[in-house]
Amino acid sequence: MAPVVSTGHINKDKRMKKVLLVASDKSELKGSDDSYFKCISGVGPIMAAAASSLAIKETGAEIVISVGSAGSTGRLKKGEVVSFSSVFSLDQDLSSFHLPLGATLGRDRNTVGELRSRDFSSPFSLLTSASFAHTLTDRMTSFRCDAVDMEAYGVAIAASLHSIPFYCVKIISDIIGDNSGIGDVSYSVREARTRLWEKVNSLLKDA
């Protein structure tokens, strides 16, 4: 299934780089600048990786940004908008082959683990899981990450394969373990939406 890609009014200024925003659902893209390409990937890292890769190829994007929501592991507060410097995968486990938890093997047998964003100044890291994080597990805490989402690592993989810069900006929609429902998460996203796009625009000034 091809990703849903919107071009808005892209290339109003030919000097601007082509930027692709990737979110799991259309609600997470509301209020975004019409000069960006937009991709709705669906939920989970596999959907995100596949949809992002197709959208990058289709649009010729030069920068890709994973946006949406994430749950805090404790350090970040609900409603904060955070740019992350790195992302990890909770689900990759080749420790039997002496690779660190969260790492896998690339097509050239290179080790693929932590993936870095272009926001080198951020002190925060993000963990991507294929399952919604209701409670913190020992495996999650072993990564010492500040938040958990379900798509960013997949978007980062696609950006890496296409050799383009990757950013990750998330609204902290809940604190993992606080029993937040879908309504609570949606409310947090709506309340912080303006700040999300302000953060994205700010990062791109120096991109």
Side-chain angles (χ1 to χ4, degrees), residues 99-147:
L99 292 181
L101 187 63
T104 189
L105 293 174
R107 55 192 172 190
D108 297 322
R109 291 197 172 186
N110 56 308
T111 300
V112 180
E114 175 188 8
L115 296 174
R116 302 284 296 179
S117 83
R118 287 298 177 95
D119 186 1
F120 304 119
S121 64
S122 171
F124 304 114
S125 59
L126 181 70
L127 181 64
T128 294
S129 171
S131 301
F132 185 82
H134 292 285
T135 57
L136 280 176
T137 64
D138 290 341
R139 185 163 171 169
M140 284 182 187
T141 56
S142 70
F143 283 88
R144 301 183 183 276
C145 289
D146 300 287

Side-chain angles (χ1 to χ4, degrees), residues 53-70:
S53 188
L54 286 170
I56 290 168
K57 185 175 181 180
E58 178 181 332
T59 62
E62 297 166 281
I63 296 172
V64 64
I65 308 176
S66 175
V67 297
S69 62

Side-chain angles (χ1 to χ4, degrees), residues 22-24 28 41-46 48 65-73 82 84 86-91 125-134 136 140 145-156 166-174 176:
V22 181
S24 64
E28 294 177 320
S41 67
V43 178
I46 294 174
I65 308 176
S66 175
V67 297
S69 62
S72 172
T73 58
V82 180
F84 295 90
S86 59
V87 293
F88 297 83
S89 171
L90 176 69
D91 307 305
S125 59
L126 181 70
L127 181 64
T128 294
S129 171
S131 301
F132 185 82
H134 292 285
L136 280 176
M140 284 182 187
C145 289
D146 300 287
V148 181
D149 89 323
M150 295 185 69
E151 288 83 33
Y153 195 86
V155 180
F166 162 78
Y167 290 89
C168 178
V169 184
K170 300 286 179 172
I171 296 168
I172 302 302
S173 57
D174 61 292
I176 297 172

